[in-house]
Amino acid sequence: MRQPWFSSPGDAGERLRAAGYLADAATATTTFLTGALEKPLLLEGPAGVGKTELAKAVARACGADLVRLQCYEGLDEARALYEWNYKKQLLRIQAAGGDQDWSSTHDDIFDEEFLLTRPLLSAIRREEPTVLLIDEVDKTDVEVEGLLLEVLSDFQVTIPELGTITATRRPFVVLTSNATRELSEAVKRRCLYLHLDYPDLEREREIVMGQVPEVDEAVARQVVEAVGRLRDLDLKKAPSIAETIDWARTLVALEIGQLDEDAVAATLGVVLKHASDLDKAVRELKSHRRNR
């Protein structure tokens, strides 16, 4: 009998924490159910709240390999599922010359030797514990969702020349979405759902302290409070949790023990990456200090 991914929600929470991911009760419960029910998990929420990191943490916690399909506009079957190595097939045809009939040549070149597996097929075929991360699925065209349905429904892939390949060991599947477009109901029906948002100040401070244990607790609190105010602004790109952690690491590296005006001016580029966002942030943080 195969080892389950997690034995309980509590086990999921503890092992994710040990893998460097601080999960709340809802996240731990849904992560446990994803493995127990062998259903894909759809994680939705703004960029930078830890959706991708959760999949990585599951892989670390369970000693599984991570197979990642990074989605983008224009992604097609050849990049997501499989394609044939046409150059190698052509060389085989040329090498055979006229000694074979077409039927024999066809069977010869549409063989495993000439198959180039992409992330979806690779995850389906693996016998080892595997986490399949389908990242930013909302960036793909609607047509790609149809490609996912066979995989997410029955964990199988049909290759006309070879037949249907069914998973011998179902991967732990995580789909992430920044909600830039609505996903189809057909895809959603096949998934468990979890919405991740930015953590509250105390939870984010705990995350920062866990990831940057050398940072002073008072500085960590100043950082998360400043990031919280920045997220309330109308920015092109709100700071992610990873950028909060980077800011704390920057202050440690520079041996800065107080997030004052000079420290903000020197290091804000670690958190914000647009000139207009930097201008708004400087005005907001100055205003906040004047009003304290």
Side-chain angles (χ1 to χ4, degrees):
M1 185 176 179
R2 290 197 181 99
Q3 186 76 15
W5 289 93
F6 301 101
S7 61
S8 67
D11 176 54
E14 291 175 8
R15 289 167 63 188
L16 288 173
R17 178 186 285 271
Y21 191 96
L22 187 62
D24 59 19
T27 302
T29 299
T30 308
T31 300
F32 161 70
L33 290 173
T34 299
L37 302 180
E38 295 188 319
K39 291 177 69 70
L41 170 59
L42 173 59
L43 292 175
E44 199 168 61
V49 295
K51 302 186 296 297
T52 299
E53 188 56 36
L54 177 57
K56 294 179 179 179
V58 170
R60 293 195 299 270
C62 298
D65 291 328
L66 180 73
V67 175
R68 180 174 183 171
L69 173 62
Q70 179 62 54
C71 298
Y72 53 88
E73 187 177 350
L75 179 70
D76 60 11
E77 182 175 315
R79 297 300 174 194
L81 196 54
Y82 73 92
E83 65 179 325
W84 293 103
N85 189 332
Y86 299 115
K87 291 182 179 179
K88 192 172 180 180
Q89 286 175 321
L90 181 58
L91 289 174
R92 175 61 63 86
I93 293 170
Q94 291 172 340
D99 298 335
Q100 284 184 312
D101 58 36
W102 170 242
S103 177
S104 299
T105 301
H106 178 278
D107 293 343
D108 191 24
I109 63 174
F110 287 105
D111 185 71
E112 287 279 354
E113 180 184 351
F114 302 94
L115 188 66
L116 299 174
T117 60
R118 302 307 185 197
L120 293 181
L121 180 57
S122 176
I124 286 293
R125 303 181 82 182
R126 292 175 61 85
E127 296 183 0
E128 303 82 6
T130 302
V131 175
L132 171 60
L133 170 60
I134 304 174
D135 215 4
E136 298 183 304
V137 66
D138 53 319
K139 287 187 176 180
T140 63
D141 301 322
V142 176
E143 292 76 13
V144 174
E145 292 186 23
L147 178 65
L148 295 175
L149 290 178
E150 183 181 15
V151 177
L152 301 183
S153 297
D154 303 311
F155 288 89
Q156 65 181 30
V157 170
T158 299
I159 301 175
E161 297 84 358
L162 297 179
T164 299
I165 298 173
T166 303
T168 55
R169 181 176 190 140
R170 291 193 174 192
F172 189 108
V173 182
V174 176
L175 298 89
T176 74
S177 169
N178 296 334
T180 57
R181 71 170 177 84
E182 192 72 19
L183 301 179
S184 71
E185 289 301 321
V187 168
K188 287 185 174 182
R189 274 199 310 272
R190 288 159 174 80
C191 300
L192 300 180
Y193 178 82
L194 181 65
H195 184 272
L196 292 182
D197 209 339
Y198 295 112
D200 59 32
L201 294 180
E202 187 56 33
R203 190 166 198 81
E204 189 159 14
R205 184 197 62 78
E206 191 175 353
I207 292 171
V208 169
M209 294 295 297
Q211 294 294 319
V212 195
E214 61 271 29
V215 71
D216 182 78
E217 187 170 349
V219 174
R221 186 173 297 279
Q222 291 174 348
V223 168
V224 299
E225 287 177 352
V227 168
R229 290 193 296 274
L230 295 178
R231 289 179 184 147
D232 290 335
L233 300 178
D234 183 23
L235 301 177
K236 285 186 176 182
K237 170 64 174 64
S240 67
I241 297 173
E243 286 163 333
T244 307
I245 294 169
D246 285 344
W247 204 3
R249 285 178 174 148
T250 297
L251 298 178
V252 169
L254 295 174
E255 299 182 350
I256 294 175
Q258 176 75 19
L259 192 61
D260 54 22
E261 186 172 338
D262 290 339
V264 169
T267 62
L268 195 56
V270 174
V271 186
L272 301 178
K273 313 299 167 60
H274 296 275
S276 59
D277 288 352
L278 288 167
D279 291 340
K280 288 180 183 178
V282 169
R283 290 196 298 270
E284 162 62 22
L285 294 176
K286 283 183 177 179
S287 174
H288 176 77
R289 282 192 294 273
R290 285 197 301 268
N291 296 329
R292 289 179 65 176

